[in-house]
């Protein structure tokens, strides 16, 4: 069974540009969550999508957005990149039908470097 | 606001020694707690999931306990090996469905 797949694995972007990251969840998983990991702040929740609807949102500026497609694949977009956006972006998928005993499975992450 | 703390931040032990990793959380109204392992530059690997109604969960050399009333969980790794060297993170599933993570404990097992 394939795990959570994130593409690309590495990205280098210039300040002011925008970037799109992709996440394909485990087959059958309908919930996808995104997290940002930095050395200073640790893992912080960005947003969660279920059945193409954003169900939860963290405390990030509007430059961070996402969406989910009918096949449960999800993308997140960051516009007007800042140096502080450099981080490892992690995607997690889960079976929400098992809530509250939901287990999260993470991808390998996308390392974004903003120069 | 749910805060999750992991102490110590780093731990170094000789091979064969048992590891004890601690996780504490401020709000006992959690749905479950999950322990993860993270290797440098990689994603998170799920180790154990403890439901809020459970007291402990075991998988191989790993055993995790949960005491909701005191806001604590402990991960025990028996007979540590150099391959166990990694950062271990705990996360609690809140009532708003979000996961709140601790900062992690970085473990080094010396051969």
């Amino acid at each position: 069974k394939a795990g959570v797949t994130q593409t690309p694995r590495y990205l280098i972007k210039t300040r002011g540009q925008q970037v799109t990251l992709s996440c394909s969840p485990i087959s059958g998983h309908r919930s996808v969550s995104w997290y940002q990991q930095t050395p200073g702040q640790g893992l912080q929740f960005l947003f969660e999508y279920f059945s193409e609807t954003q169900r939860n949102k963290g405390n990030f500026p509007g430059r961070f957005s996402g969406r989910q497609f009918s096949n449960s694949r999800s993308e997140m977009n960051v516009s007007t990149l800042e140096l502080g956006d450099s981080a490892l972006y992690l995607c997690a998928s889960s079976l929400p039908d098992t809530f509250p005993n939901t287990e999260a499975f993470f991808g390998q992450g996308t390392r974004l470097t903003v120069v | 606001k749910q805060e999750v703390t992991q102490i110590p931040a780093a731990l170094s032990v000789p091979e064969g020694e048992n590891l004890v990793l601690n996780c504490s959380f401020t709000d006992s109204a959690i749905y479950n707690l999950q322990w993860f392992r993270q290797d440098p530059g990689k994603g998170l690997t799920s180790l154990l999931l403890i439901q809020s109604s459970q007291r402990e969960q075991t998988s191989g050399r790993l055993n995790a306990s949960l005491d909701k009333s005191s806001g604590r969980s402990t991960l025990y790794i028996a007979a540590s090996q150099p391959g166990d060297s990694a950062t271990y993170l705990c996360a609690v599933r809140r009532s708003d469905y979000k996961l709140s993570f601790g900062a992690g404990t970085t473990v080094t097992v010396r051969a």
Side-chain angles (χ1 to χ4, degrees), chain A residues 25-52:
Chain A
I26 293 171
S27 177
H29 286 197
R30 296 186 294 152
S31 171
V32 174
S33 300
W34 289 89
Y35 294 82
Q36 180 196 64
Q37 186 176 33
T38 59
Q41 298 296 318
L43 272 150
Q44 293 186 290
F45 174 80
L46 280 157
F47 27 66
E48 185 231 348
Y49 286 87
F50 171 63
S51 292
E52 303 178 62

PDB file of all heavy atoms in Angstrom, chain A residues 25-52:
ATOM      1  N   PRO A  25      -2.701  11.583  -0.798  1.00  0.00           N
ATOM      2  CA  PRO A  25      -2.874  10.798   0.434  1.00  0.00           C
ATOM      3  C   PRO A  25      -2.882   9.304   0.160  1.00  0.00           C
ATOM      4  O   PRO A  25      -2.906   8.868  -0.989  1.00  0.00           O
ATOM      5  CB  PRO A  25      -4.242  11.267   0.943  1.00  0.00           C
ATOM      6  CG  PRO A  25      -4.987  11.631  -0.304  1.00  0.00           C
ATOM      7  CD  PRO A  25      -3.953  12.208  -1.233  1.00  0.00           C
ATOM      8  N   ILE A  26      -2.868   8.545   1.241  1.00  0.00           N
ATOM      9  CA  ILE A  26      -3.008   7.101   1.143  1.00  0.00           C
ATOM     10  C   ILE A  26      -4.367   6.798   0.519  1.00  0.00           C
ATOM     11  O   ILE A  26      -5.365   7.471   0.833  1.00  0.00           O
ATOM     12  CB  ILE A  26      -2.878   6.450   2.528  1.00  0.00           C
ATOM     13  CG1 ILE A  26      -1.443   6.612   3.044  1.00  0.00           C
ATOM     14  CG2 ILE A  26      -3.275   4.980   2.500  1.00  0.00           C
ATOM     15  CD1 ILE A  26      -1.246   6.203   4.488  1.00  0.00           C
ATOM     16  N   SER A  27      -4.411   5.799  -0.334  1.00  0.00           N
ATOM     17  CA  SER A  27      -5.653   5.447  -1.010  1.00  0.00           C
ATOM     18  C   SER A  27      -6.766   5.187   0.003  1.00  0.00           C
ATOM     19  O   SER A  27      -6.586   4.430   0.967  1.00  0.00           O
ATOM     20  CB  SER A  27      -5.431   4.193  -1.865  1.00  0.00           C
ATOM     21  OG  SER A  27      -6.629   3.802  -2.473  1.00  0.00           O
ATOM     22  N   GLY A  28      -7.890   5.861  -0.187  1.00  0.00           N
ATOM     23  CA  GLY A  28      -9.012   5.691   0.715  1.00  0.00           C
ATOM     24  C   GLY A  28      -9.078   6.739   1.816  1.00  0.00           C
ATOM     25  O   GLY A  28     -10.126   6.907   2.450  1.00  0.00           O
ATOM     26  N   HIS A  29      -7.984   7.443   2.042  1.00  0.00           N
ATOM     27  CA  HIS A  29      -7.988   8.506   3.056  1.00  0.00           C
ATOM     28  C   HIS A  29      -8.585   9.771   2.451  1.00  0.00           C
ATOM     29  O   HIS A  29      -8.183  10.213   1.382  1.00  0.00           O
ATOM     30  CB  HIS A  29      -6.568   8.788   3.547  1.00  0.00           C
ATOM     31  CG  HIS A  29      -6.032   7.738   4.452  1.00  0.00           C
ATOM     32  ND1 HIS A  29      -4.938   7.945   5.263  1.00  0.00           N
ATOM     33  CD2 HIS A  29      -6.440   6.472   4.695  1.00  0.00           C
ATOM     34  CE1 HIS A  29      -4.697   6.850   5.968  1.00  0.00           C
ATOM     35  NE2 HIS A  29      -5.596   5.934   5.630  1.00  0.00           N
ATOM     36  N   ARG A  30      -9.529  10.370   3.170  1.00  0.00           N
ATOM     37  CA  ARG A  30     -10.206  11.540   2.640  1.00  0.00           C
ATOM     38  C   ARG A  30      -9.837  12.832   3.344  1.00  0.00           C
ATOM     39  O   ARG A  30     -10.264  13.911   2.938  1.00  0.00           O
ATOM     40  CB  ARG A  30     -11.717  11.318   2.698  1.00  0.00           C
ATOM     41  CG  ARG A  30     -12.202  10.179   1.813  1.00  0.00           C
ATOM     42  CD  ARG A  30     -13.718  10.098   1.804  1.00  0.00           C
ATOM     43  NE  ARG A  30     -14.234   9.737   3.118  1.00  0.00           N
ATOM     44  CZ  ARG A  30     -15.425  10.079   3.565  1.00  0.00           C
ATOM     45  NH1 ARG A  30     -16.232  10.821   2.829  1.00  0.00           N
ATOM     46  NH2 ARG A  30     -15.836   9.688   4.759  1.00  0.00           N
ATOM     47  N   SER A  31      -9.078  12.720   4.432  1.00  0.00           N
ATOM     48  CA  SER A  31      -8.666  13.919   5.156  1.00  0.00           C
ATOM     49  C   SER A  31      -7.184  14.179   4.904  1.00  0.00           C
ATOM     50  O   SER A  31      -6.355  13.268   5.015  1.00  0.00           O
ATOM     51  CB  SER A  31      -8.915  13.735   6.651  1.00  0.00           C
ATOM     52  OG  SER A  31      -8.329  14.792   7.382  1.00  0.00           O
ATOM     53  N   VAL A  32      -6.863  15.410   4.570  1.00  0.00           N
ATOM     54  CA  VAL A  32      -5.477  15.815   4.346  1.00  0.00           C
ATOM     55  C   VAL A  32      -5.202  17.064   5.166  1.00  0.00           C
ATOM     56  O   VAL A  32      -5.958  18.038   5.111  1.00  0.00           O
ATOM     57  CB  VAL A  32      -5.204  16.104   2.856  1.00  0.00           C
ATOM     58  CG1 VAL A  32      -3.792  16.674   2.679  1.00  0.00           C
ATOM     59  CG2 VAL A  32      -5.367  14.839   2.021  1.00  0.00           C
ATOM     60  N   SER A  33      -4.120  17.019   5.930  1.00  0.00           N
ATOM     61  CA  SER A  33      -3.712  18.179   6.737  1.00  0.00           C
ATOM     62  C   SER A  33      -2.313  18.600   6.330  1.00  0.00           C
ATOM     63  O   SER A  33      -1.504  17.770   5.907  1.00  0.00           O
ATOM     64  CB  SER A  33      -3.707  17.830   8.232  1.00  0.00           C
ATOM     65  OG  SER A  33      -4.976  17.423   8.661  1.00  0.00           O
ATOM     66  N   TRP A  34      -2.037  19.877   6.495  1.00  0.00           N
ATOM     67  CA  TRP A  34      -0.722  20.430   6.167  1.00  0.00           C
ATOM     68  C   TRP A  34      -0.104  21.047   7.414  1.00  0.00           C
ATOM     69  O   TRP A  34      -0.788  21.704   8.205  1.00  0.00           O
ATOM     70  CB  TRP A  34      -0.846  21.504   5.089  1.00  0.00           C
ATOM     71  CG  TRP A  34      -1.183  20.982   3.729  1.00  0.00           C
ATOM     72  CD1 TRP A  34      -2.434  20.778   3.209  1.00  0.00           C
ATOM     73  CD2 TRP A  34      -0.259  20.612   2.698  1.00  0.00           C
ATOM     74  NE1 TRP A  34      -2.341  20.295   1.921  1.00  0.00           N
ATOM     75  CE2 TRP A  34      -1.020  20.198   1.586  1.00  0.00           C
ATOM     76  CE3 TRP A  34       1.129  20.610   2.603  1.00  0.00           C
ATOM     77  CZ2 TRP A  34      -0.429  19.772   0.390  1.00  0.00           C
ATOM     78  CZ3 TRP A  34       1.712  20.191   1.417  1.00  0.00           C
ATOM     79  CH2 TRP A  34       0.932  19.777   0.325  1.00  0.00           C
ATOM     80  N   TYR A  35       1.218  20.859   7.549  1.00  0.00           N
ATOM     81  CA  TYR A  35       1.965  21.392   8.679  1.00  0.00           C
ATOM     82  C   TYR A  35       3.252  22.028   8.168  1.00  0.00           C
ATOM     83  O   TYR A  35       3.836  21.584   7.189  1.00  0.00           O
ATOM     84  CB  TYR A  35       2.316  20.294   9.685  1.00  0.00           C
ATOM     85  CG  TYR A  35       1.112  19.688  10.368  1.00  0.00           C
ATOM     86  CD1 TYR A  35       0.358  18.701   9.751  1.00  0.00           C
ATOM     87  CD2 TYR A  35       0.727  20.117  11.635  1.00  0.00           C
ATOM     88  CE1 TYR A  35      -0.749  18.155  10.359  1.00  0.00           C
ATOM     89  CE2 TYR A  35      -0.390  19.565  12.261  1.00  0.00           C
ATOM     90  CZ  TYR A  35      -1.115  18.592  11.617  1.00  0.00           C
ATOM     91  OH  TYR A  35      -2.215  18.060  12.230  1.00  0.00           O
ATOM     92  N   GLN A  36       3.666  23.067   8.886  1.00  0.00           N
ATOM     93  CA  GLN A  36       4.952  23.697   8.603  1.00  0.00           C
ATOM     94  C   GLN A  36       5.902  23.372   9.749  1.00  0.00           C
ATOM     95  O   GLN A  36       5.524  23.489  10.913  1.00  0.00           O
ATOM     96  CB  GLN A  36       4.791  25.223   8.508  1.00  0.00           C
ATOM     97  CG  GLN A  36       6.085  25.969   8.209  1.00  0.00           C
ATOM     98  CD  GLN A  36       5.983  27.457   8.497  1.00  0.00           C
ATOM     99  OE1 GLN A  36       5.799  27.871   9.641  1.00  0.00           O
ATOM    100  NE2 GLN A  36       6.096  28.276   7.459  1.00  0.00           N
ATOM    101  N   GLN A  37       7.109  22.938   9.417  1.00  0.00           N
ATOM    102  CA  GLN A  37       8.088  22.631  10.458  1.00  0.00           C
ATOM    103  C   GLN A  37       9.324  23.498  10.273  1.00  0.00           C
ATOM    104  O   GLN A  37       9.970  23.487   9.221  1.00  0.00           O
ATOM    105  CB  GLN A  37       8.493  21.159  10.429  1.00  0.00           C
ATOM    106  CG  GLN A  37       9.399  20.757  11.596  1.00  0.00           C
ATOM    107  CD  GLN A  37       9.725  19.283  11.606  1.00  0.00           C
ATOM    108  OE1 GLN A  37       9.840  18.645  10.565  1.00  0.00           O
ATOM    109  NE2 GLN A  37       9.875  18.717  12.804  1.00  0.00           N
ATOM    110  N   THR A  38       9.655  24.258  11.311  1.00  0.00           N
ATOM    111  CA  THR A  38      10.865  25.076  11.324  1.00  0.00           C
ATOM    112  C   THR A  38      11.618  24.808  12.612  1.00  0.00           C
ATOM    113  O   THR A  38      11.025  24.403  13.615  1.00  0.00           O
ATOM    114  CB  THR A  38      10.542  26.582  11.239  1.00  0.00           C
ATOM    115  OG1 THR A  38       9.705  26.927  12.367  1.00  0.00           O
ATOM    116  CG2 THR A  38       9.830  26.930   9.953  1.00  0.00           C
ATOM    117  N   PRO A  39      12.934  25.051  12.617  1.00  0.00           N
ATOM    118  CA  PRO A  39      13.711  24.804  13.845  1.00  0.00           C
ATOM    119  C   PRO A  39      13.223  25.657  15.017  1.00  0.00           C
ATOM    120  O   PRO A  39      13.223  25.204  16.150  1.00  0.00           O
ATOM    121  CB  PRO A  39      15.138  25.195  13.439  1.00  0.00           C
ATOM    122  CG  PRO A  39      15.163  25.004  11.958  1.00  0.00           C
ATOM    123  CD  PRO A  39      13.792  25.398  11.489  1.00  0.00           C
ATOM    124  N   GLY A  40      12.770  26.866  14.745  1.00  0.00           N
ATOM    125  CA  GLY A  40      12.375  27.759  15.834  1.00  0.00           C
ATOM    126  C   GLY A  40      10.976  27.521  16.358  1.00  0.00           C
ATOM    127  O   GLY A  40      10.730  27.615  17.564  1.00  0.00           O
ATOM    128  N   GLN A  41      10.036  27.187  15.485  1.00  0.00           N
ATOM    129  CA  GLN A  41       8.626  27.059  15.867  1.00  0.00           C
ATOM    130  C   GLN A  41       8.144  25.621  15.941  1.00  0.00           C
ATOM    131  O   GLN A  41       7.014  25.361  16.389  1.00  0.00           O
ATOM    132  CB  GLN A  41       7.742  27.817  14.866  1.00  0.00           C
ATOM    133  CG  GLN A  41       8.011  29.315  14.812  1.00  0.00           C
ATOM    134  CD  GLN A  41       7.689  29.986  16.125  1.00  0.00           C
ATOM    135  OE1 GLN A  41       6.680  29.678  16.760  1.00  0.00           O
ATOM    136  NE2 GLN A  41       8.561  30.888  16.560  1.00  0.00           N
ATOM    137  N   GLY A  42       8.947  24.671  15.495  1.00  0.00           N
ATOM    138  CA  GLY A  42       8.511  23.283  15.502  1.00  0.00           C
ATOM    139  C   GLY A  42       7.440  23.039  14.451  1.00  0.00           C
ATOM    140  O   GLY A  42       7.410  23.703  13.413  1.00  0.00           O
ATOM    141  N   LEU A  43       6.550  22.104  14.753  1.00  0.00           N
ATOM    142  CA  LEU A  43       5.475  21.752  13.818  1.00  0.00           C
ATOM    143  C   LEU A  43       4.240  22.584  14.113  1.00  0.00           C
ATOM    144  O   LEU A  43       3.710  22.554  15.213  1.00  0.00           O
ATOM    145  CB  LEU A  43       5.119  20.274  13.953  1.00  0.00           C
ATOM    146  CG  LEU A  43       5.937  19.333  13.093  1.00  0.00           C
ATOM    147  CD1 LEU A  43       6.081  17.985  13.760  1.00  0.00           C
ATOM    148  CD2 LEU A  43       5.277  19.172  11.736  1.00  0.00           C
ATOM    149  N   GLN A  44       3.775  23.305  13.100  1.00  0.00           N
ATOM    150  CA  GLN A  44       2.590  24.143  13.257  1.00  0.00           C
ATOM    151  C   GLN A  44       1.546  23.779  12.205  1.00  0.00           C
ATOM    152  O   GLN A  44       1.867  23.613  11.035  1.00  0.00           O
ATOM    153  CB  GLN A  44       2.963  25.611  13.139  1.00  0.00           C
ATOM    154  CG  GLN A  44       3.838  26.108  14.283  1.00  0.00           C
ATOM    155  CD  GLN A  44       4.042  27.604  14.191  1.00  0.00           C
ATOM    156  OE1 GLN A  44       4.718  28.106  13.307  1.00  0.00           O
ATOM    157  NE2 GLN A  44       3.419  28.330  15.106  1.00  0.00           N
ATOM    158  N   PHE A  45       0.305  23.708  12.650  1.00  0.00           N
ATOM    159  CA  PHE A  45      -0.815  23.329  11.788  1.00  0.00           C
ATOM    160  C   PHE A  45      -1.160  24.469  10.836  1.00  0.00           C
ATOM    161  O   PHE A  45      -1.322  25.616  11.251  1.00  0.00           O
ATOM    162  CB  PHE A  45      -2.008  22.990  12.685  1.00  0.00           C
ATOM    163  CG  PHE A  45      -3.285  22.726  11.959  1.00  0.00           C
ATOM    164  CD1 PHE A  45      -3.520  21.492  11.376  1.00  0.00           C
ATOM    165  CD2 PHE A  45      -4.258  23.705  11.862  1.00  0.00           C
ATOM    166  CE1 PHE A  45      -4.714  21.240  10.706  1.00  0.00           C
ATOM    167  CE2 PHE A  45      -5.447  23.468  11.208  1.00  0.00           C
ATOM    168  CZ  PHE A  45      -5.682  22.235  10.627  1.00  0.00           C
ATOM    169  N   LEU A  46      -1.290  24.113   9.557  1.00  0.00           N
ATOM    170  CA  LEU A  46      -1.673  25.098   8.543  1.00  0.00           C
ATOM    171  C   LEU A  46      -3.166  25.017   8.242  1.00  0.00           C
ATOM    172  O   LEU A  46      -3.898  25.978   8.437  1.00  0.00           O
ATOM    173  CB  LEU A  46      -0.883  24.868   7.252  1.00  0.00           C
ATOM    174  CG  LEU A  46       0.539  25.416   7.240  1.00  0.00           C
ATOM    175  CD1 LEU A  46       1.381  24.689   6.214  1.00  0.00           C
ATOM    176  CD2 LEU A  46       0.520  26.912   6.952  1.00  0.00           C
ATOM    177  N   PHE A  47      -3.614  23.902   7.726  1.00  0.00           N
ATOM    178  CA  PHE A  47      -5.034  23.695   7.454  1.00  0.00           C
ATOM    179  C   PHE A  47      -5.307  22.222   7.190  1.00  0.00           C
ATOM    180  O   PHE A  47      -4.405  21.415   6.998  1.00  0.00           O
ATOM    181  CB  PHE A  47      -5.562  24.525   6.267  1.00  0.00           C
ATOM    182  CG  PHE A  47      -4.557  24.879   5.218  1.00  0.00           C
ATOM    183  CD1 PHE A  47      -3.969  23.910   4.436  1.00  0.00           C
ATOM    184  CD2 PHE A  47      -4.195  26.216   5.011  1.00  0.00           C
ATOM    185  CE1 PHE A  47      -3.040  24.249   3.467  1.00  0.00           C
ATOM    186  CE2 PHE A  47      -3.264  26.556   4.047  1.00  0.00           C
ATOM    187  CZ  PHE A  47      -2.688  25.574   3.276  1.00  0.00           C
ATOM    188  N   GLU A  48      -6.610  21.900   7.200  1.00  0.00           N
ATOM    189  CA  GLU A  48      -7.061  20.539   6.982  1.00  0.00           C
ATOM    190  C   GLU A  48      -8.222  20.544   6.000  1.00  0.00           C
ATOM    191  O   GLU A  48      -9.100  21.408   6.074  1.00  0.00           O
ATOM    192  CB  GLU A  48      -7.508  19.884   8.285  1.00  0.00           C
ATOM    193  CG  GLU A  48      -7.874  18.405   8.128  1.00  0.00           C
ATOM    194  CD  GLU A  48      -9.229  18.071   8.699  1.00  0.00           C
ATOM    195  OE1 GLU A  48      -9.817  18.894   9.416  1.00  0.00           O
ATOM    196  OE2 GLU A  48      -9.716  16.960   8.416  1.00  0.00           O
ATOM    197  N   TYR A  49      -8.200  19.592   5.078  1.00  0.00           N
ATOM    198  CA  TYR A  49      -9.256  19.460   4.095  1.00  0.00           C
ATOM    199  C   TYR A  49      -9.903  18.087   4.205  1.00  0.00           C
ATOM    200  O   TYR A  49      -9.230  17.072   4.450  1.00  0.00           O
ATOM    201  CB  TYR A  49      -8.706  19.654   2.678  1.00  0.00           C
ATOM    202  CG  TYR A  49      -8.406  21.092   2.380  1.00  0.00           C
ATOM    203  CD1 TYR A  49      -7.165  21.630   2.705  1.00  0.00           C
ATOM    204  CD2 TYR A  49      -9.366  21.934   1.826  1.00  0.00           C
ATOM    205  CE1 TYR A  49      -6.889  22.966   2.474  1.00  0.00           C
ATOM    206  CE2 TYR A  49      -9.092  23.268   1.589  1.00  0.00           C
ATOM    207  CZ  TYR A  49      -7.855  23.773   1.920  1.00  0.00           C
ATOM    208  OH  TYR A  49      -7.584  25.102   1.700  1.00  0.00           O
ATOM    209  N   PHE A  50     -11.203  18.094   4.033  1.00  0.00           N
ATOM    210  CA  PHE A  50     -11.969  16.846   4.030  1.00  0.00           C
ATOM    211  C   PHE A  50     -13.065  17.001   2.996  1.00  0.00           C
ATOM    212  O   PHE A  50     -13.836  17.963   3.041  1.00  0.00           O
ATOM    213  CB  PHE A  50     -12.552  16.571   5.417  1.00  0.00           C
ATOM    214  CG  PHE A  50     -13.532  15.429   5.447  1.00  0.00           C
ATOM    215  CD1 PHE A  50     -13.123  14.143   5.137  1.00  0.00           C
ATOM    216  CD2 PHE A  50     -14.862  15.646   5.774  1.00  0.00           C
ATOM    217  CE1 PHE A  50     -14.008  13.092   5.151  1.00  0.00           C
ATOM    218  CE2 PHE A  50     -15.766  14.590   5.793  1.00  0.00           C
ATOM    219  CZ  PHE A  50     -15.337  13.312   5.486  1.00  0.00           C
ATOM    220  N   SER A  51     -13.122  16.049   2.076  1.00  0.00           N
ATOM    221  CA  SER A  51     -14.133  16.082   1.009  1.00  0.00           C
ATOM    222  C   SER A  51     -14.175  17.440   0.315  1.00  0.00           C
ATOM    223  O   SER A  51     -15.247  18.045   0.167  1.00  0.00           O
ATOM    224  CB  SER A  51     -15.515  15.737   1.576  1.00  0.00           C
ATOM    225  OG  SER A  51     -15.565  14.394   1.969  1.00  0.00           O
ATOM    226  N   GLU A  52     -13.006  17.914  -0.066  1.00  0.00           N
ATOM    227  CA  GLU A  52     -12.816  19.145  -0.851  1.00  0.00           C
ATOM    228  C   GLU A  52     -13.167  20.423  -0.087  1.00  0.00           C
ATOM    229  O   GLU A  52     -13.199  21.511  -0.690  1.00  0.00           O
ATOM    230  CB  GLU A  52     -13.633  19.077  -2.156  1.00  0.00           C
ATOM    231  CG  GLU A  52     -13.285  17.873  -3.026  1.00  0.00           C
ATOM    232  CD  GLU A  52     -14.132  17.801  -4.284  1.00  0.00           C
ATOM    233  OE1 GLU A  52     -14.046  18.726  -5.109  1.00  0.00           O
ATOM    234  OE2 GLU A  52     -14.883  16.811  -4.422  1.00  0.00           O
TER     235      GLU A  52
END
